[in-house]
Amino acid sequence: MDIHEYQAKKILSNFGIPIPKGALALSEENAVQHASLLESCPFWVIKAQIHAGGRRNSGGIQFAHSLEEVKTHAQNLLGKMLITPQTGPLGKKVNALYIEEGIPIKHEFYMSLFLDRSPGQISMTLSSKGGVNIEETLEDSPQDLHSINIDPLLGFTSFYAGQLLAPLLLEKNLLHQFETLLQKLYHVYTSLDATILEINPLAVTESGELCVLDVKMSFDENALFRHPEIRSLRDLREEEPLEAEASNHTLNYIKLDGNIGCLVNGAGLAMATLDLLNLKGGKAANFLDIGGSASQEKILKAFQIILSDTSVRGILVNIFGGIIQCDTVARGLIQAFKDQKKFLPLVVRLVGNKENEARQILEKSALPIHSVTSLEEATQMIIKAVGS
């Protein structure tokens, strides 16, 4: 689960991590009012609050040296669709702004924390080069990116800090600040079950102090039951509506740009199904994993979500019955098919636990549901049906 920059900064501030003063603005008047309370700063930064990076180069971050400029930037951003390299061509609507005090910068760093799944450890990275176009900068100078993996049994220790900071050749005062900051960031990451904590830039101010100027945080959705305070930060306006609806029913759904709806149990099988569709010349409209033990009601909801996507022209169901019983899936599909307002081609592959019973149920229904045992045959059949 992603959160906004202003929310992430509040979290960091609660852990004693230095951030600039700022406030959320939902209107032009809000923006000017908040800026006027920060009159002692040399300038203001007006930041569009969307769940996407690349805002600076796309006009989503503006600088103002007068309240009139603050108002103009707020007018230009609020309610507009902001398109960045991470939003896709449709962009995201700017519903809120973060009005922040401008901080004179002496130097910019980049740092991040993420889970390195191969060793099962948290990776902490740091670079002496931060700021705009960080991806291109690090691609051109990969030697400037320093990284360590942290043993979760040991936690972040002075030994790890020394390994990460030694190549930067920092002066003593800054070195001490860095070690304290990294310890706090590691604590934030682990205690809140974060998946990504990225700071760019991490600035050294002209007064020689470290300050987090921008931050991105994401959290493990499977751990949100432990963190209701984090779950409450979810902004459904930033999510694809069908994906949000699916998550409310514990369905793993991701909207794609094809026209064949897919209903599969198991993430690995779902990926294999999408791969085979693509290999045969079809395009999936979604990734949808109903899980290993879905009920008839859950299958019905999954079917309804697929049908809610107007780009879907046909549906492929691929179920390998293990814990889930194929006859349960068959009954759910029949109910869903009867509830359709438009009858789309439906190809079903049910293999495994109670597959014979499932086929009998489908046959007795007398509905135009095509049942096959081969996934290759199923993909070819649905591609042909959609094409025709």
Side-chain angles (χ1 to χ4, degrees), residues 44-332:
W44 297 274
V45 188
I46 296 86
K47 297 183 172 185
Q49 296 299 287
I50 60 170
H51 288 178
R55 293 173 298 165
R56 173 74 182 276
N57 288 340
S58 303
I61 297 179
Q62 298 289 340
F63 299 90
H65 293 83
S66 69
L67 293 178
E68 190 61 35
E69 286 185 8
V70 171
K71 183 177 180 179
T72 299
H73 291 315
Q75 288 174 336
N76 293 337
L77 285 171
L78 279 171
K80 303 300 189 299
M81 299 300 293
L82 184 63
I83 300 173
T84 82
Q86 295 185 16
T87 62
L90 298 179
K92 284 183 176 289
K93 185 178 181 180
V94 180
N95 296 300
L97 301 174
Y98 191 52
I99 311 302
E100 193 172 64
E101 65 173 336
I103 302 287
I105 299 172
K106 184 177 180 181
H107 189 81
E108 294 180 336
F109 292 86
Y110 167 89
M111 78 85 52
S112 67
L113 283 158
F114 64 92
L115 178 62
D116 188 341
R117 295 185 182 275
S118 296
Q121 297 180 340
I122 295 169
S123 181
M124 182 179 285
T125 62
L126 184 63
S127 173
S128 58
K129 295 182 178 179
V132 183
N133 301 322
I134 184 63
E135 292 85 0
E136 292 82 355
T137 300
L138 295 180
E139 185 176 344
D140 295 337
S141 307
Q143 69 278 3
D144 291 322
L145 185 66
H146 309 288
S147 180
I148 59 168
N149 279 354
I150 302 166
D151 187 327
L153 296 178
L154 296 176
F156 187 77
T157 65
S158 295
F159 171 76
Y160 286 126
Q163 278 189 312
L164 191 62
L165 297 172
L168 300 183
L169 302 176
L170 301 170
E171 59 185 40
K172 186 175 180 179
N173 178 53
L174 198 55
L175 187 66
H176 176 71
Q177 287 189 60
F178 255 106
E179 182 171 348
T180 301
L181 177 67
L182 296 180
Q183 287 175 338
K184 289 181 179 180
L185 291 172
Y186 181 82
H187 181 52
V188 171
Y189 186 94
T190 54
S191 64
L192 297 181
D193 290 303
T195 54
I196 296 174
L197 199 170
E198 184 179 47
I199 297 173
N200 183 41
L202 172 60
V204 179
T205 67
E206 288 187 352
S207 60
E209 304 296 321
L210 285 177
C211 188
V212 174
L213 296 193
D214 202 353
V215 58
K216 174 183 178 179
M217 290 191 74
S218 297
F219 299 89
D220 183 355
E221 292 186 4
N222 294 315
L224 289 179
F225 70 93
R226 290 197 288 254
H227 307 286
E229 77 284 4
I230 300 298
R231 188 171 62 243
S232 68
L233 301 179
R234 185 179 181 186
D235 187 349
L236 294 177
R237 295 173 301 179
E238 292 291 315
E239 300 180 26
E240 162 62 42
L242 291 180
E243 293 179 11
E245 173 69 11
S247 69
N248 290 333
H249 298 276
T250 64
L251 293 166
N252 297 314
Y253 174 93
I254 299 174
K255 180 172 166 51
L256 303 174
D257 59 0
N259 58 6
I260 298 174
C262 297
L263 190 156
V264 190
N265 68 318
L269 185 60
M271 292 300 295
T273 304
L274 267 59
D275 286 345
L276 188 57
L277 266 177
N278 186 65
L279 182 66
K280 298 296 183 180
K283 292 196 72 176
N286 63 270
F287 169 101
L288 198 161
D289 168 19
I290 61 173
S293 57
S295 64
Q296 187 173 322
E297 292 74 21
K298 191 172 183 179
I299 293 165
L300 177 60
K301 174 53 67 174
F303 205 92
Q304 291 170 344
I305 288 173
I306 291 175
L307 288 175
S308 297
D309 183 352
T310 56
S311 65
V312 170
R313 295 290 178 266
I315 300 172
L316 172 63
V317 176
N318 183 22
I319 299 294
F320 183 82
I323 299 174
I324 192 171
Q325 297 179 339
C326 291
D327 60 337
T328 299
V329 177
R331 292 188 185 92

